[in-house]
Amino acid sequence: MTNRFPIALAAVLLLTACNKPAATPLATTDNAAAAPAGTSAGLPDDLQTAVAVSQAMKRYPAKGDSVLTAFHLTANDFAALMKRIAADSTLSVQYRQLTE
């Protein structure tokens, strides 16, 4: 089995680098505004997963395959997830804010 972690990491870095900062502040829903900082209330599942995977990969850079497996993802699944987030300007802004 080949190690696909570098491909997923490259996709994450590329997608993050290609997104321009938003000109307007992050819009919140009532649920998100009522939730304490650092919680995931009101966030889409895709965004929660992407943030959690990215944080785990930062924390355990040598265990990329294990991180993806823990989230039931392949490298291609994660790359597709990041592509969906990058294609949505709101999700992209939220992802950047949550991973900074």
Side-chain angles (χ1 to χ4, degrees), residues 20-26 89 93 96-97:
K20 296 178 183 172
T24 58
L26 175 66
S89 60
V93 168
R96 274 196 314 278
Q97 290 178 339

Side-chain angles (χ1 to χ4, degrees), residues 78-99:
F78 185 62
L81 172 64
M82 294 307 298
K83 187 175 181 178
R84 285 193 305 273
I85 290 171
D88 184 307
S89 60
T90 301
L91 291 179
S92 182
V93 168
Q94 289 175 323
Y95 176 81
R96 274 196 314 278
Q97 290 178 339
L98 292 168
T99 57

Side-chain angles (χ1 to χ4, degrees), residues 6-53:
I7 295 169
L9 181 59
V12 170
L13 295 175
L14 178 64
L15 292 171
T16 303
C18 289
N19 289 314
K20 296 178 183 172
T24 58
L26 175 66
T28 59
T29 62
D30 291 336
N31 290 342
T39 64
S40 59
L43 296 178
D45 290 342
D46 280 354
L47 184 60
Q48 291 179 40
T49 300
V51 169
V53 170

Side-chain angles (χ1 to χ4, degrees), residues 55-71:
Q55 290 172 342
M57 285 188 180
K58 281 182 187 177
R59 189 167 184 185
Y60 304 103
K63 306 244 184 220
D65 285 338
S66 297
V67 169
L68 291 174
T69 300
F71 286 92

